[in-house]
Amino acid sequence: MEATSPIVTSLDERLLDLGSKTTFSSIRTPPTKKAKRVRFFRNGDKFYTGVVMAVTPERYRSFDSLATDLTRALVSSVTLPNGVRAIYTMDGRKVQSITDLEDGKCYVVSGQGELFKKVEYSSSKVRRGSSLSGLPQSPAGTGRQINTIPSCVKARIITLIRHGTKPRRVLRLLLNKRNAASLDHVLEAITEVVKLDCGAVRRVYTLSGKLVITLEQFFESEEVFIAYGTEKSTQEDFELDPEESKLVQSFKRGPWISKRQSGPIPEMPRKTGKRALTQPQVRTPSPASLMLPQPLRMHYSVGHVIGDGNFAVVRHCVHKQTGAEYAMKIVDKHKCQGKETMLASEVAILRQVCHPNIISLIGEQETTDQLFLVMELVKGGDLFDAIAAVTKFSEPEASIMIGHLTSALAYLHSHHIVHRDVKPENLLVEMEGSHVRCLKLGDFGLAQFVREPLYTVCGTPTYVAPEILAETGYGLK
């Protein structure tokens, strides 16, 4: 018996070792939790049927990761300028954590600063067999079926007059495949824009006095419409007072649509986005008033304003040691709330690019309230002002500018970057006497890296590319 004892002991050790390995194996590979099938609606959009997603703790370890995937899944079907920022239950309670989401339930997503809107959404539960999402789908595979949209629908900007006491509010609305799938869709979009005191828009008339009863009427020759709630229309409603007439005319296209073949040279379109100061202002504010960070204050002296826009001011600055001149762009972060992603994207792209026909980023400094970008200074101003000053360029000069612009765009596209706001105001020129020597592309506020088709409608209406308005997806081609 004593001879067999070591064998028994050895066998017991092996069994114990095998049991411990099994135990450890079961600890390392816990059973995967079942995915929650959840439907998400767009806040306030009663026509969108929602997107169903599989939500698991393994896939989404944070609320932000889920919000990012939701934005990607919804972007081709609904308008979310700043992406998904909040999730609500169907009765308006804000979801604080992914664990709060329940299997088979529906929720509402909203953008930055939006209040919850209680409407009758298109579907009330998640049915078995519903397709899952989490990645961008083709437009045909998302909530609104693009193939059912009437052929008359095309991207078009209309002018709206809000019924009320004169002078009435005059607004603009872009109609496209997202908001004009039916007459009800258009009325919903108009309601969101004009914001009548009585609530929803019930009736819409053309400026000539015709009641709009079909979707096709929004895409015919008339461009100006009057929105009503439950009020009755009168003949005076269709007569514009001087202020209304001025606003309506300013919204219409430029005089080049006239059928006349002769006459004065057409006027330039209005300058958009920024106000350039062609005459430098003789003032040099103190560093304290500019709130310059210490590193910038040590190396640069800041002078007059070169130009300003909605979110930033551009000032002339000089490097104290070398005497080199630069442009300092000072961005007010408070005015950019909700656009932080765009601002970060602009800076990231400027850091990466290096091309003779693209404005160079020299340095940057950030504080709690402001972002300072030291950039290459182009003393000739922008192309818009140059065109306004000389009216026309010679063929050799035009050839130089087109060559420089296409070179810059080809470089960006080779690095998978789209600019999305190419216009004369964003093209800076270096002059040699009265002639253009060099053209440089600037203002990367709407630029973005392209990894998949984009559907966001953005840019300046006067210059926006047709493929952006088509909403069929655009990229580098």
Side-chain angles (χ1 to χ4, degrees):
M1 290 295 290
E2 291 179 1
T4 60
S5 180
I7 298 174
V8 173
T9 303
S10 175
L11 182 60
D12 288 342
E13 288 175 350
R14 289 182 183 180
L15 289 172
L16 180 60
D17 184 51
L18 182 61
S20 64
K21 285 182 179 179
T22 306
T23 303
F24 287 136
S25 176
S26 63
I27 292 173
R28 291 192 198 99
T29 57
T32 305
K33 293 183 179 179
K34 183 181 178 182
K36 300 175 185 177
R37 297 171 67 89
V38 183
R39 185 183 296 274
F40 296 94
F41 295 105
R42 171 68 173 102
N43 189 29
D45 192 338
K46 66 181 182 182
F47 300 104
Y48 180 53
T49 56
V51 60
V52 179
M53 294 182 64
V55 180
T56 64
E58 292 80 12
R59 183 175 185 180
Y60 301 112
R61 298 183 180 276
S62 68
F63 185 90
D64 287 343
S65 63
L66 175 60
T68 300
D69 254 12
L70 276 169
T71 300
R72 295 172 63 198
L74 294 168
V75 70
S76 61
S77 301
V78 298
T79 303
L80 274 165
N82 301 308
V84 173
R85 291 292 181 268
I87 300 176
Y88 295 94
T89 62
M90 298 301 284
D91 58 0
R93 289 180 291 109
K94 194 170 185 178
V95 175
Q96 303 294 339
S97 169
I98 293 177
T99 57
D100 295 338
L101 300 175
E102 297 182 35
D103 184 34
K105 294 293 183 69
C106 297
Y107 296 86
V108 176
V109 302
S110 70
Q112 182 75 30
E114 291 182 8
L115 297 176
F116 174 76
K117 300 174 184 176
K118 190 171 180 63
V119 300
E120 292 294 328
Y121 291 97
S122 300
S123 177
S124 59
K125 62 181 181 178
V126 182
R127 294 183 293 273
R128 290 187 176 274
S130 300
S131 61
L132 297 176
S133 183
L135 295 174
Q137 303 175 0
S138 65
T142 51
R144 289 184 184 144
Q145 297 298 317
I146 301 300
N147 58 2
T148 64
I149 294 176
S151 59
C152 68
V153 177
K154 63 186 80 172
R156 187 191 194 206
I157 297 175
I158 62 172
T159 301
L160 297 169
I161 299 175
R162 181 184 187 272
H163 179 259
T165 306
K166 294 185 178 182
R168 297 163 292 184
R169 285 188 64 193
V170 182
L171 310 107
R172 302 184 86 185
L173 173 65
L174 172 65
L175 297 181
N176 51 36
K177 293 178 180 180
R178 293 184 189 175
N179 61 6
S182 69
L183 182 60
D184 284 341
H185 280 73
V186 177
L187 293 178
E188 182 83 10
I190 294 175
T191 297
E192 288 289 321
V193 171
V194 301
K195 295 179 171 57
L196 293 174
D197 295 334
C198 61
V201 170
R202 303 296 182 188
R203 289 174 297 135
V204 175
Y205 285 86
T206 65
L207 189 57
S208 61
K210 295 178 182 177
L211 177 64
V212 176
I213 56 175
T214 65
L215 177 65
E216 287 77 11
Q217 287 176 265
F218 284 108
F219 298 92
E220 293 174 353
S221 59
E222 299 227 32
E223 297 179 357
V224 184
F225 300 87
I226 305 175
Y228 292 82
T230 55
E231 311 91 346
K232 292 183 178 180
S233 62
T234 65
Q235 184 58 39
E236 291 183 358
D237 294 342
F238 307 105
E239 299 170 1
L240 304 181
D241 73 6
E243 188 171 336
E244 293 171 346
S245 181
K246 184 178 179 181
L247 285 170
V248 168
Q249 289 301 320
S250 71
F251 283 161
K252 286 188 175 181
R253 295 175 181 174
W256 54 83
I257 63 170
S258 172
K259 295 181 181 179
R260 294 184 300 169
Q261 299 299 316
S262 62
I265 297 173
E267 296 177 8
M268 286 284 290
R270 292 184 179 189
K271 193 164 186 175
T272 58
K274 62 185 106 172
R275 299 186 297 279
L277 306 178
T278 54
Q279 297 297 325
Q281 298 182 358
V282 186
R283 70 174 190 269
T284 307
S286 65
S289 66
L290 286 175
M291 300 292 290
L292 281 179
Q294 184 62 26
L296 290 180
R297 196 180 307 171
M298 290 174 58
H299 294 94
Y300 297 95
S301 58
V302 181
H304 60 266
V305 175
I306 300 172
D308 63 1
N310 295 325
F311 310 111
V313 175
V314 181
R315 294 179 178 270
H316 178 273
C317 70
V318 178
H319 194 277
K320 292 180 179 179
Q321 187 174 356
T322 64
E325 297 178 275
Y326 298 105
M328 182 180 290
K329 183 176 181 179
I330 306 171
V331 182
D332 187 337
K333 287 186 177 180
H334 293 297
K335 294 180 180 179
C336 294
Q337 288 183 355
K339 303 181 186 295
E340 294 86 355
T341 303
M342 292 173 59
L343 185 59
S345 177
E346 176 183 7
V347 175
I349 289 172
L350 287 172
R351 286 195 200 109
Q352 177 174 321
V353 297
C354 180
H355 189 274
N357 300 116
I358 295 176
I359 290 295
S360 301
L361 177 64
I362 309 301
E364 59 184 279
Q365 185 76 39
E366 188 170 10
T367 66
T368 306
D369 303 320
Q370 294 175 306
L371 173 64
F372 299 84
L373 303 175
V374 180
M375 310 185 73
E376 177 184 3
L377 175 64
V378 182
K379 294 184 178 180
D382 64 45
L383 183 59
F384 188 101
D385 290 335
I387 294 172
V390 304
T391 307
K392 64 179 180 180
F393 290 98
S394 66
E395 186 173 330
E397 284 183 295
S399 176
I400 288 172
M401 290 189 286
I402 291 297
H404 289 180
L405 176 57
T406 54
S407 176
L409 292 176
Y411 171 83
L412 292 177
H413 291 182
S414 70
H415 288 75
H416 301 280
I417 299 168
V418 287
H419 188 277
R420 302 200 295 182
D421 199 19
V422 177
K423 59 183 179 181
E425 295 94 319
N426 291 339
L427 300 172
L428 304 177
V429 291
E430 288 183 357
M431 306 297 291
E432 195 171 73
S434 60
H435 300 286
V436 175
R437 185 176 68 84
C438 180
L439 179 142
K440 292 177 181 280
L441 178 61
D443 198 339
F444 282 71
L446 293 179
Q448 187 170 329
F449 290 101
V450 180
R451 299 178 181 86
E452 58 196 4
L454 304 174
Y455 294 89
T456 306
V457 177
C458 64
T460 306
T462 320
Y463 306 103
V464 66
E467 61 268 23
I468 291 179
L469 293 176
E471 294 191 289
T472 54
Y474 61 91
L476 301 173
K477 295 183 179 180

